[in-house]
Amino acid sequence: MAISQTTVTGSFKTPANTDARVMAVIFRLIGSDFENGELVTVNSVPSLVDPDNGDFQITVWPNDKGSRGGTSYNVTYIFDDASVVTGLSNVIVRYSPDPWTLEDLDFQMRASRQLAQRQIREVTAAQFDALTSPDPNTVYLIIG
């Protein structure tokens, strides 16, 4: 059976507002879990990078689809000057049909730490208004 997939995108800038050309963004899964009868195991996933500007796109397994929980990703960036930078660590990628950005993942990590075991759910104002009883363990982010 197939496992779920979610896309993460991004780009990098220098403090001078020029493109910081990334050659690779690598998500390394830490731990293993099951989804749809498949074992999703420790592995590194390299990104697709636009050689003209360094924008990247990567498709990874969303950790929240696991049956046991407890997996995360460590992210590494490799730039065109051969420098290697440790990026986000212990990242949980949640399933989404729309791409996440690195900023989205960072925000979710910081918010999750602050909100302990509460779930974060993005909804429109109309979807929130239509809820008969909001879940007290969910934080609702109202989006545009």
Side-chain angles (χ1 to χ4, degrees), residues 1 12 20 28 34 38-41 45 51 62 68 73-74 79 81 93 109 111 125 139 144:
M1 296 186 107
F12 296 82
R28 178 159 181 79
F34 295 94
E38 301 286 346
L39 176 63
V40 184
T41 190
V45 181
R68 296 183 317 173
Y73 287 97
N74 287 341
F79 290 93
D81 65 356
V93 178
M109 284 176 20
V139 174

Side-chain angles (χ1 to χ4, degrees), residues 16-46:
N17 198 33
T18 60
D19 291 334
R21 293 183 35 117
V22 68
M23 302 306 290
V25 177
I26 300 169
F27 276 59
R28 178 159 181 79
L29 184 66
I30 306 302
S32 60
D33 205 341
F34 295 94
E35 184 192 4
N36 293 331
E38 301 286 346
L39 176 63
V40 184
T41 190
V42 175
N43 202 349
S44 294
V45 181

Side-chain angles (χ1 to χ4, degrees), residues 26 57 70 131 144:
I26 300 169
Q57 176 176 313
L131 292 173

Side-chain angles (χ1 to χ4, degrees), residues 4-8 58-62 64 93-100:
S4 301
Q5 300 284 274
T6 292
T7 300
V8 179
I58 189 167
T59 302
V60 295
W61 174 69
D64 66 341
V93 178
R94 292 178 172 81
Y95 175 77
S96 174
D98 300 317
W100 294 114

Side-chain angles (χ1 to χ4, degrees), residues 123-131 142-143:
V123 295
T124 65
Q127 289 171 321
F128 183 78
D129 292 341
L131 292 173
I142 309 300
I143 57 175

